[in-house]
Amino acid sequence: MKFSSRLDKLAPYPFVEISRIIAEKRAAGADVVTFGIGDPDIPTPAPIIDRLLRASQDPPNHRYPETDGLPELRRAIAYWYEKRFSVQLDPDTEVLPLIGAKEGIGHAALCFLDPGDVALIPDPAYPVYGVGTMFAGAESHIMPLYEKNGWLLDLDAIPDGVATSAKVMWLNYPNNPTSATATAEDLAGVTAYCRQHDIALLHDAAYSEVGYEGYRAASSMQVEGAKEVGIEFHSLSKTYNMTGWRIGMAVGNADMIKALFQIKANLDSGIPQAVQEMAMEALTGPQDCVADNVAIYQQRRDRVVKALSSMGLQVAVPQASLYVWTPIPEGYTSAEFAARLLEDIDIVVTPGSSYGKYGEGYIRLSLTTPDEQVEKGCQRLESWRIPPPKGG
Ligand SMILES: Cc1ncc(COP(=O)(O)O)c(C=O)c1O
C-alpha cells in the first residue's frame, strides 16, 4: 500500500506515545502517577450533564446537526463573550462552534494556506499549529519564545521578507506549555503588527478561564481592530471539564469564520446537538464551577511548585493555565529527564521538546491529576535524588 508523504513527516502525537508507555508500565504492575496530558480529572458539572440527559431524549437531536451549530448555541457564545470580555459578536456571522478547538485549529490552515505559503508559528507551542500548516503543504516560520522575554513574541526578530510573505500567525495566551500570560497591550501589539503586514491572526485562548489569584486573561477580540484581522479559538474543554464532549468555538472576523465554515461543511457534520445543548448550559448557567476548579488547580499548583523547588529546580509560579513549566538540570535533554522520572519513580511528565526545539531544557507538569495522586507524586519527587546525567 502506498501512503501519503505527509504521514512520514508526522512525529508520533506526544500524548499517544505517552499513553502507550503508561499502559505498558501499568500492565507491568507499576503505580504510575501522571502529570502528562492536560485533561481535567474533575467531572463535568452536574447541571451540564443533566442537560445532556434531557437533550438526549429529544428526537431532533438524534439527527445530523448543522455544521454551523444551533442558532441558540451561537447566541450563547456571543452572550458569554459579551459577559466575560465585553466583546460584541454577531452570532450569525462572527461565531462558529467547533468539535473542540483542536478541530478548528487543524482545519484553519486549509482556509489560508496553499503549498509554499508561510505561517508564523511560535515555538514552543501546541503542536497542531505546525501540523495543520504541514497538512496544507505550507511552510512554518518558527518564532522562538524565550524565558528571558516572558515567553512572549519578539516581533522585531521576524525578518522583513517573512513578515511580507506570511499569511497567518498563530498565538496562544495563556500559553501551553509555558503558562505565560500576555497583557491586553501585548495582544494589541501583535494585532497591529498583523494589520500592518496583512497577516491573519489566529489566537488560541483555550486557557483563558484558568487564572490564579484572580488573574483574568484578556481576549484578543478586546483589541481595537481585532476583528479586521483575526479570529480567536476557544474551548469548553478546560473551563468546564468537558474534554470528552468535544466542543469549542471560533469567533471574530466574519470572512475568516465563513472560510472555516466552508472547509468544515465539506469535512464534518457538526457537533452532536445534545452536546451543543450542554455547551449552552455551560456558557449561560452559573459560573461558580469555574472558580471552584481554579481553586483546586491552584492548590495543586502550589504543591507541585513546592516539590519542584525542593528538588532545586528554578520553577516559576504560573499565573494561569493548567501547567507548571520548569527548567531541568544541566546535562539532561528534556526527553532524558522525563525518561529518568518514569524509570526511577514512575512519574510521567511531558518533555519540553515535544512542543518544539525551543522547549528543550524544560518539562511540563499538568495539574489535571487527582489531589491524592498529586500528593503521592510530589512526595516521590521530593525524596528522589536527581542522578547525574549520563556522561556528566
Ligand atoms: C493550546 C491548546 N489549544 C487547544 C487545545 C484543544 O482544545 P479542545 O479540547 O477544545 O480541542 C488544547 C488542548 O490541550 C491546547 O492545549
Side-chain angles (χ1 to χ4, degrees), residues 18-146:
I18 291 174
S19 299
R20 193 187 57 74
I21 295 170
I22 297 173
E24 246 177 48
K25 273 255 172 189
R26 285 190 174 144
D31 179 16
V32 178
V33 173
T34 174
F35 294 103
I37 193 165
D39 184 1
D41 57 302
I42 311 164
T44 309
I48 303 176
I49 296 291
D50 290 345
R51 180 72 175 261
L52 169 72
L53 296 177
R54 289 198 304 278
S56 70
Q57 309 285 334
D58 195 8
N61 288 342
H62 302 175
R63 309 192 67 195
Y64 279 127
E66 298 289 346
T67 302
D68 57 354
L70 293 164
E72 298 90 323
L73 172 60
R74 294 198 309 273
R75 283 200 290 273
I77 293 169
Y79 165 83
W80 183 82
Y81 254 86
E82 162 86 61
K83 214 164 147 216
R84 169 67 176 88
F85 296 117
S86 305
V87 165
Q88 279 90 41
L89 296 167
D90 179 340
D92 293 329
T93 59
E94 295 177 334
V95 174
L96 183 62
L98 302 171
I99 313 169
K102 184 178 187 179
E103 174 266 305
I105 290 168
H107 282 147
L110 301 177
C111 301
F112 300 101
L113 300 169
D114 290 312
D117 284 345
V118 177
L120 297 168
I121 314 261
D123 180 340
Y126 182 55
V128 187
Y129 316 139
V131 169
T133 302
M134 187 269 280
F135 281 173
E139 305 296 325
S140 293
H141 176 86
I142 296 300
M143 303 182 291
L145 306 180
Y146 297 107

Side-chain angles (χ1 to χ4, degrees), residues 100-102 105 126 129 172 176 204 206-207 235 237-238 246 323:
K102 184 178 187 179
I105 290 168
Y126 182 55
Y129 316 139
N172 163 225
N176 174 20
D204 178 355
Y207 296 94
S235 171
S237 287
K238 322 286 170 162
R246 311 307 307 131
Y323 308 113

